[in-house]
Structures are given as structure tokens and as C-alpha cells.
Amino acid sequence: MSKGNKESTGQKKPSTSMIVAIVAVILVLVLVGVLVYVLTRKEPKPETQGKATIVTEENVQEIIQSVSEPNTDASYTVTMSNEWTFEDGKASAEDFYVKNTENNSRTVYFDLRLADTDEEIYSSPYIPVGEAMNTFTLDKELEAGDYNVIMTYHLVDDDKKELTTVSVAVEIHIQN
């Protein structure tokens, strides 16, 4: 052999295009693996309050209808006076009126609490749907004066278990 020639080991050098092809295949495999992982992993679902509904073309009219109809178990229509006068702390209210209208679907009762102290001064009997009250006497005798009162309606089910409440402000006047 001549000095200018290197001895051959019998191995071929990989070509540059072969190395590029191998790297490209490895990159494609890694990308496919990442894509499969992202698409198949299960993330914890956030807790939702209430009932989640998916709106589709098929159910959109039904959902619009259900939203436009009041939930009779959670809503309440009041027909009442909101300012009452008592001759004295032991007398019946002269201008009192409360009706559980026919629009409602539940029996109710109400209680009265002084706005400044939260002291209960009256608790009504149950008022069935369609029935009204036009008089009552306070459970607690109050001194003469004007009082801001919170009237809380309690909507109850057939077993008289409370479902929800609705509160309104009223004013009472004790004359003597």
C-alpha cells in the first residue's frame, strides 16, 4: 500500500441525508407521542354548582322555554300591604293584608323581626295557596313608635319543610 492511502476498515460512513432522515423520524415520533398524551390525558373536571346544560341546535328552544318559565318552588308572588298601624302594642293591625296568591305553588308562613335588633316579634300560621290574612296581633308587645321590620316568607313543601325564603322590608306604627 502506498503511504498516501489510508487503510480501509470496511465500514461505510453514513451519508448526511441518512442522518437527517433518522433525526426527522425521531422528531415525528416525539411529536406523535406528545400529541397522543395531550389528547388522551384526563384533567380533573371543576366542580359545578347546580346542573350544567349544553346548548345545542336541537335543545335551544326547550332551554329558552325553561328559563322563561318561573321556578314555582323557588319564586313567590306577594300581595300585601307594607305599612301597618296598631292602636297600641296589644291591638291588631288595622291595615294589614297578606295573600298567598294562586300564582304560587307552595304554602307559606312569615315571621317579623325588628331590623335593628333581629328580635322576632311575630310568627304567622301557615297560609295555603289562595288564602289571605287580614289581621294579626304581635307576639311581642312594643312601645309606641315607628319600627322598621324585616318580613321573611318561608316557602314550605307538603311536609312543611322549608324550601326557601323571601324577605321584604315593612314598617309598623304603634300609636299608644
Side-chain angles (χ1 to χ4, degrees):
M1 280 198 158
S2 67
K3 291 183 181 181
N5 289 343
K6 294 185 179 176
E7 281 188 36
S8 175
T9 60
Q11 293 180 337
K12 289 186 185 178
K13 271 187 160 179
S15 69
T16 307
S17 61
M18 180 66 105
I19 292 173
V20 170
I22 292 172
V23 170
V25 168
I26 291 172
L27 284 175
V28 167
L29 289 175
V30 168
L31 288 174
V32 167
V34 169
L35 185 62
V36 167
Y37 172 75
V38 168
L39 293 176
T40 61
R41 75 171 185 217
K42 293 184 180 180
E43 292 184 24
K45 294 181 181 179
E47 290 186 32
T48 58
Q49 297 280 335
K51 179 180 172 186
T53 303
I54 297 173
V55 179
T56 64
E57 286 184 33
E58 290 79 28
N59 70 358
V60 69
Q61 290 303 321
E62 179 183 326
I63 291 170
I64 290 171
Q65 180 68 24
S66 70
V67 170
S68 64
E69 293 173 356
N71 179 350
T72 56
D73 285 344
S75 62
Y76 181 69
T77 302
V78 169
T79 301
M80 62 177 279
S81 55
N82 63 351
E83 193 168 336
W84 313 315
T85 303
F86 297 81
E87 187 177 317
D88 59 42
K90 295 180 183 179
S92 296
E94 297 173 8
D95 45 7
F96 173 78
Y97 181 78
V98 167
K99 182 174 184 181
N100 186 0
T101 69
E102 291 81 4
N103 296 337
N104 299 321
S105 64
R106 297 292 181 179
T107 296
V108 298
Y109 71 93
F110 65 89
D111 56 45
L112 301 175
R113 295 184 173 277
L114 296 175
D116 57 348
T117 65
D118 199 39
E119 178 183 3
E120 185 175 297
I121 57 173
Y122 181 74
S123 184
S124 78
Y126 292 109
I127 308 169
V129 173
E131 298 293 316
M133 285 180 61
N134 57 14
T135 187
F136 80 99
T137 303
L138 295 172
D139 294 338
K140 176 174 176 48
E141 188 175 339
L142 297 176
E143 298 291 321
D146 298 325
Y147 296 88
N148 291 319
V149 177
I150 303 300
M151 181 179 197
T152 302
Y153 288 94
H154 302 265
L155 283 67
V156 297
D157 65 13
D158 295 336
D159 297 324
K160 305 299 190 247
K161 291 181 184 172
E162 185 174 302
L163 297 171
T164 189
T165 61
V166 176
S167 296
V168 294
V170 297
E171 189 172 333
I172 60 175
H173 309 282
I174 309 294
Q175 293 181 333
N176 297 317

